[in-house]
Amino acid sequence: MREPDTTVRAPHAAALLLFALVWLSCIWFGSFELNPNNATRLFGALALVERGEATIDRYETLTIDKAQFATKTGTHYYMDKAPGMTLMAAPVVWAADHLAGAQSYDEVIDITNLRLANFLRLRLWLAVAFGAAVLTAFATVLLFDFGTGLTGSPAAGLFAALGYALGSVIWGWSTTMFGHASVAALFLIATWAIWRGTSGAKELGRWRYPVMAGLALGWAVAVEFQAALGGIAIGLWALWRSRGAVWPMRWRLYALAVAAAVVAVLPMLAYNQFAFGTPFMTGYRGVVGFSGMNQGLFGLTYPKPEALLGITLGLRRGLFWVAPALAMGAAGVILLLRDRATRDLGVLAVAVIVIVLSLNASYAYWDGGASTGPRHSVPAIPFLALGLAPFWVSLRSRAAKRSAAALLALSMIVNLVIASTDIFAPENMAMPVWTRNFVGLFAHGKFNTLANVYWGWQPWFGFALYLDVALPTLALILWWTRRAERDRQRTGSV
């Protein structure tokens, strides 16, 4: 692979369209509002904005994901998750309530109440549109730029970006209030900022890169506590990347990054103080109904080989079955390791992938319950997707590139089916993607699209409208990228 040239950037027009395409893809297909993981986060936001409290007592019968604590005023229920996704959703929920002139307290709290379901569904969609969807779309554009600068090839950058956002379960999990896709995006944002900010003397002097990296890593911890371990690996890589700078500049960079991370973590600590009376208490300490959480540290013990096999190659939850293009990314990570110019990035990718997969394999509920793919391993996906860029430029023949593009297209089709039907696969299915998503739902036109849920269209029409917009947009992105690729080849830049 060529020496990385950070002056080579992704074509701006294609990047803007890519952002729009990914954002649209994430908001067009919804997820179930009363899934316990979605619901508990949404209930937390409703409690905050409507009653100025953290307790979800009024909603606790609607979710199995909750924490219970005895207080001076009695026993109360709380959200049992890290508060980041709820805090991002709170302003959106507040705006929706005020614009609609309605609150959840106007509704009967009953799982069979269709008015309540519609109320929650709208707020879930808005929370996704201004939360996970924005983060995923932004991270995708940065990966486009990352892969382009790393290889000098806009085509390679786009190959990696599409594999990440639309060729993996990042897509499906970005339609939810789960934190997995958001943490993946924040990891990628921080990694890009560090890489870009340490690529030359001029970039080292710019404050925006350490601030961006610090904010992203700090907020990742607010979204999922275990993100701290992957964040440590990224932070150590930042120290390595900046080792050549003079000490005054290094101290300035470190101070900016740490200050930004602290600012990002403060809302989480403030929420804990507000909810539990101390910034260091978490809802996980009071989890109800999941005895496995009593094992080790909140359910984390040590990596089990059978769990590791299940989350990578297992038919029920295997990552490479729901995103076959990532197998090429794994090969690309090896290429990063073999090249001296990119070895440090390869080491980081391996480190984060190992940390994330090991945490998943150590968890008592490693399969993620109702999940398509290994949802707890989603933060590893950006680092596998990054390997797609060097993998693409390593292919010398047109036939090889066509085969790689075909595998990426297959991954995108699989994840289109997953995102458009249901990301929450039942626990008892041996091959849920085929049995449920393809045969049970897609073949019968059971979609959850913006058009059929809110505009009253037939589901197939809503699905067709998405394709009518997405396919021409993708074609235009490919055309602009191909033109940029040819321009660079003609000028001898690649």
Side-chain angles (χ1 to χ4, degrees):
M1 191 173 70
R2 65 187 291 280
E3 185 79 14
D5 182 359
T6 56
T7 63
V8 181
R9 307 301 295 263
H12 295 309
L16 288 172
L17 275 182
L18 181 61
F19 181 96
L21 173 62
V22 173
W23 185 78
L24 173 70
S25 300
C26 293
I27 70 165
W28 194 260
F29 303 111
S31 60
F32 182 40
E33 63 279 354
L34 285 174
N35 172 274
N37 238 305
N38 270 337
T40 194
R41 290 179 167 92
L42 193 54
F43 295 155
L46 289 168
L48 283 175
V49 302
E50 293 182 359
R51 287 294 183 269
E53 59 190 25
T55 58
I56 61 168
D57 297 347
R58 189 165 188 265
Y59 318 99
E60 63 89 10
T61 58
L62 301 182
T63 178
I64 58 173
D65 285 346
K66 55 196 171 188
Q68 185 182 52
F69 292 97
T71 70
K72 294 179 181 179
T73 59
T75 298
H76 295 287
Y77 291 92
Y78 299 81
M79 176 181 65
D80 65 340
K81 311 298 180 188
M85 298 304 292
T86 290
L87 295 176
M88 280 200 295
V92 178
V93 170
W94 178 88
D97 280 6
H98 279 71
L99 290 173
Q103 293 189 355
S104 64
Y105 276 74
D106 301 327
E107 305 295 340
V108 176
I109 303 301
D110 189 311
I111 200 168
T112 63
N113 182 0
L114 294 180
R115 279 174 50 93
L116 175 64
N118 290 333
F119 177 94
L120 296 174
R121 186 180 300 121
L122 175 62
R123 283 149 184 80
L124 172 63
W125 178 77
L126 290 171
V128 167
F130 293 97
V134 170
L135 286 174
T136 294
F138 183 50
T140 303
V141 170
L142 295 187
L143 182 54
F144 186 15
D145 182 70
F146 205 161
T148 299
L150 196 63
T151 62
S153 167
L158 183 61
F159 189 69
L162 291 175
Y164 162 71
L166 302 180
S168 77
V169 285
I170 289 285
W171 187 353
W173 291 113
S174 295
T175 68
T176 75
M177 277 186 71
F178 288 51
H180 313 309
S182 293
V183 169
L186 291 163
F187 276 0
L188 184 49
I189 291 167
T191 303
W192 175 88
I194 293 166
W195 173 76
R196 179 65 67 186
T198 56
S199 58
K202 184 178 179 181
E203 284 75 15
L204 274 171
R206 292 178 173 171
W207 60 269
R208 64 175 177 265
Y209 295 120
V211 169
M212 183 185 293
L215 288 174
L217 293 178
W219 192 247
V221 175
V223 172
E224 288 188 347
F225 298 132
Q226 67 271 26
L229 295 179
I232 289 172
I234 297 172
L236 291 174
W237 178 66
L239 296 179
W240 173 261
R241 290 278 298 184
S242 61
R243 70 193 184 281
V246 296
W247 270 110
M249 181 175 288
R250 289 168 72 178
W251 283 121
R252 176 174 171 270
L253 294 174
Y254 302 158
L256 285 170
V258 171
V262 170
V263 167
V265 169
L266 282 177
M268 176 191 74
L269 300 178
Y271 173 87
N272 291 339
Q273 177 69 41
F274 175 71
F276 309 116
T278 170
F280 305 109
M281 173 72 81
T282 72
Y284 284 111
R285 294 190 180 183
V287 169
V288 175
F290 292 91
S291 59
M293 295 294 289
N294 297 322
Q295 300 177 21
L297 179 64
F298 301 129
L300 294 172
T301 52
Y302 59 91
K304 283 75 168 183
E306 63 275 14
L308 189 59
L309 181 62
I311 61 182
T312 52
L313 300 175
L315 292 176
R316 188 165 70 98
R317 291 289 184 266
L319 180 62
F320 294 108
W321 289 107
V322 293
L326 294 182
M328 297 184 288
V333 171
I334 295 174
L335 294 176
L336 290 175
L337 289 168
R338 292 174 59 183
D339 192 324
R340 289 186 62 184
T342 59
R343 188 165 297 156
D344 63 306
L345 183 57
V347 169
L348 172 68
V350 170
V352 177
I353 291 167
V354 168
I355 287 170
V356 172
L357 295 185
S358 296
L359 281 171
N360 193 165
S362 301
Y363 189 38
Y365 303 103
W366 64 267
D367 64 349
S371 169
T372 301
R375 62 183 180 89
H376 297 294
S377 291
V378 164
I381 289 176
F383 298 91
L384 287 166
L386 183 60
L388 289 170
F391 180 83
W392 178 262
V393 296
S394 74
L395 303 176
R396 300 303 177 190
S397 69
R398 287 188 176 181
K401 290 192 173 182
R402 286 172 181 166
S403 298
L407 185 56
L408 173 60
L410 173 63
S411 273
M412 292 171 67
I413 291 169
V414 168
N415 284 282
L416 170 62
V417 171
I418 292 171
S420 65
T421 53
D422 188 11
I423 191 68
F424 305 125
E427 299 181 52
N428 57 355
M429 288 187 172
M431 297 179 65
V433 174
W434 175 252
T435 306
R436 179 168 175 78
N437 296 100
F438 274 90
V439 177
L441 298 175
F442 185 84
H444 295 89
K446 294 181 179 179
F447 304 115
N448 188 11
T449 74
L450 184 64
N452 72 269
V453 171
Y454 294 104
W455 305 343
W457 290 29
Q458 291 296 318
W460 273 113
F461 290 166
F463 183 80
L465 179 59
Y466 168 77
L467 294 181
D468 286 342
V469 175
L471 291 179
T473 303
L474 178 60
L476 193 54
I477 293 168
L478 291 169
W479 180 80
W480 254 317
T481 303
R482 186 177 183 185
R483 188 174 71 171
E485 184 85 7
R486 286 178 172 176
D487 288 345
R488 296 199 179 280
Q489 290 175 345
R490 188 164 48 248
T491 59
S493 298
V494 179

